[in-house]
Amino acid sequence: MRSTSAITIHRPEELSEQLRRAWHRAMEESPDYANPFLAPEFALGVARYRKGAHVAVLHQGGEAVGFFPYERNAYGVGRAIGLGLSDCQALVHRPGVTWDTRELLKVCGLSVFEFDHLVEEQQPFGPYVTGTFASPVLDLKPGEGGYPEWLRATYPGLAKTTLKKERRLGRDAGEVRFVYDERDPRMLRTLMRWKSAQYRRTGRMDRFSRPWIVDLVDHLFQVREEHFTGILSVVYAGDRPVAAHFGPRSRSVFAAWFTAYDPEFGYYSPGLMMHLRLAQAAGRDGVTLMDFGRGEKEYKDWLKTRELRVAEGFAARPHPVATAHRMWRRPVRGLRNTVLAHPRLREPADRLLKTVGTLRTSGPPARPPGAGAR
């Protein structure tokens, strides 16, 4: 193991081209760090709209060997960059590099660092992990032939039902077509509207009611780099959009992120249709892994080939703020995880949230996604 000899702190936009190349190199040298949420481009995007975003750069022998993106508030409370949005978190480093976590937090000016999708490999954070969770993934292989042939070969159990629904959708609403990399920003707005309505119907926090998240997604949609590209995909029936997905991809990993569909077409299972079409197209585009992110969903069980493990917890050094933060946040996370892990609790909780969502959507209209955005 190689211990780091120096740590420097930077704003993401202040990183030199040389440091960004070193970060990309660290991503390339380990499959654990190939996820687009671990790319400097994601940290740069978050930093445009979150003032507390920073990157600690670990040096060994005068060479940059590790990159630790984080957000810090005025009280020294730290969190993984994009916490609540990012489905993969880590200190991205060259093979064999290690660090002292408390020393890292001290240099960063952090009393505590909260994470919820930490890559399992991150051993120096191990003592601070409070739980580990499955993160389903799909291993992709370039398929020969068209979509129906790929679907029958890859998912024989789903193929008959899915293709039947697609044919019926084509008869009822117009020819079904799929656009893998849709560049029309109006379709991104349509996705945001659908997703916002879905959040409200199901009683979840509406992410797209927050202008900074709308702005961030708008920005990432425009990023077209080797290690991070924002991909908007749309299923159309005739000229009408039926389902859409937006997520980032790196060289080899596609992160499933925001998926939504027009509820009018719910009968046809457009969400599943979208993920299947997306998987086939991403494989043809050179992607070898689709990461669905932590969380239990039926479609993830249908599509996954295996599971990764991600961790949540609170890295801390002795400090009153760290103690107070853990006392406040840990019970909330524990309650949520207990509900999600037990179907007998999860199903009633989902019904309650949907009831609350119905009541909310029957009231005054919510602020439309993007209102007040740049």
Side-chain angles (χ1 to χ4, degrees), residues 353-373:
L353 287 171
K354 288 175 181 176
T355 300
V356 172
T358 301
L359 293 174
R360 285 178 178 172
T361 53
S362 65
R367 180 175 174 272

Side-chain angles (χ1 to χ4, degrees), residues 337-359:
N337 293 334
T338 298
V339 171
L340 292 178
H342 295 84
R344 290 183 179 180
L345 298 176
R346 186 171 66 246
E347 292 169 8
D350 273 341
R351 286 197 297 271
L352 176 60
L353 287 171
K354 288 175 181 176
T355 300
V356 172
T358 301
L359 293 174

Side-chain angles (χ1 to χ4, degrees), residues 77-81 83 89 112-116 313-315 325 328-329 333:
V77 173
R79 45 188 270 162
I81 194 98
L83 187 80
Q89 301 150 6
V112 63
F113 171 71
E114 182 177 355
F115 52 88
D116 64 357
F314 305 87
H325 186 78
W328 169 53
R329 290 286 291 161
R333 285 198 174 277

Side-chain angles (χ1 to χ4, degrees), residues 42-119:
F42 180 70
L44 281 163
V46 173
R48 290 170 67 101
Y49 310 106
R50 304 283 286 181
K51 294 181 180 179
H54 295 81
V55 178
V57 180
L58 283 60
H59 302 266
Q60 198 273 332
E63 182 181 11
V65 295
F67 300 85
F68 176 59
Y70 63 95
E71 297 180 47
R72 178 187 183 278
N73 72 12
Y75 300 100
V77 173
R79 45 188 270 162
I81 194 98
L83 187 80
L85 292 174
S86 168
D87 285 340
C88 190
Q89 301 150 6
L91 189 160
V92 179
H93 63 83
R94 301 277 306 278
V97 171
T98 188
W99 63 91
D100 181 279
T101 298
R102 287 190 174 184
E103 179 64 23
L104 173 66
L105 297 185
K106 182 179 179 181
V107 174
C108 294
L110 302 178
S111 58
V112 63
F113 171 71
E114 182 177 355
F115 52 88
D116 64 357
H117 286 76
L118 191 73
V119 172

Side-chain angles (χ1 to χ4, degrees), residues 260-324:
Y261 58 85
D262 186 337
E264 183 178 332
F265 295 94
Y267 168 78
Y268 304 96
S269 302
L272 179 61
M273 191 184 302
M274 164 58 68
H275 282 103
L276 290 167
R277 290 273 187 173
L278 186 56
Q280 192 240 3
R284 289 188 168 216
D285 196 36
V287 173
T288 58
L289 188 78
M290 179 173 286
D291 190 338
F292 293 115
R294 171 186 165 185
E296 294 188 13
K297 295 289 184 182
E298 191 173 40
Y299 76 87
K300 296 181 184 182
D301 288 334
W302 288 341
L303 302 183
K304 70 182 180 183
T305 53
R306 57 190 172 95
E307 294 177 343
L308 305 178
R309 302 295 296 181
V310 296
E312 71 173 34
F314 305 87
R317 58 192 180 93
H319 196 283
V321 171
T323 302

Side-chain angles (χ1 to χ4, degrees), residues 96-164:
V97 171
T98 188
W99 63 91
D100 181 279
T101 298
R102 287 190 174 184
E103 179 64 23
L104 173 66
L105 297 185
K106 182 179 179 181
V107 174
C108 294
L110 302 178
S111 58
V112 63
F113 171 71
E114 182 177 355
F115 52 88
D116 64 357
H117 286 76
L118 191 73
V119 172
E120 189 176 32
E121 181 274 344
Q122 303 271 282
Q123 294 180 9
F125 287 115
Y128 307 100
V129 169
T130 58
T132 62
F133 305 87
S135 185
V137 297
L138 169 60
D139 295 290
L140 298 176
K141 298 178 181 178
E144 298 297 330
Y147 171 72
E149 292 77 18
W150 173 87
L151 185 59
R152 292 188 186 101
T154 309
Y155 294 104
L158 285 175
K160 183 176 180 180
T161 301
T162 302
L163 292 172
K164 181 178 179 180

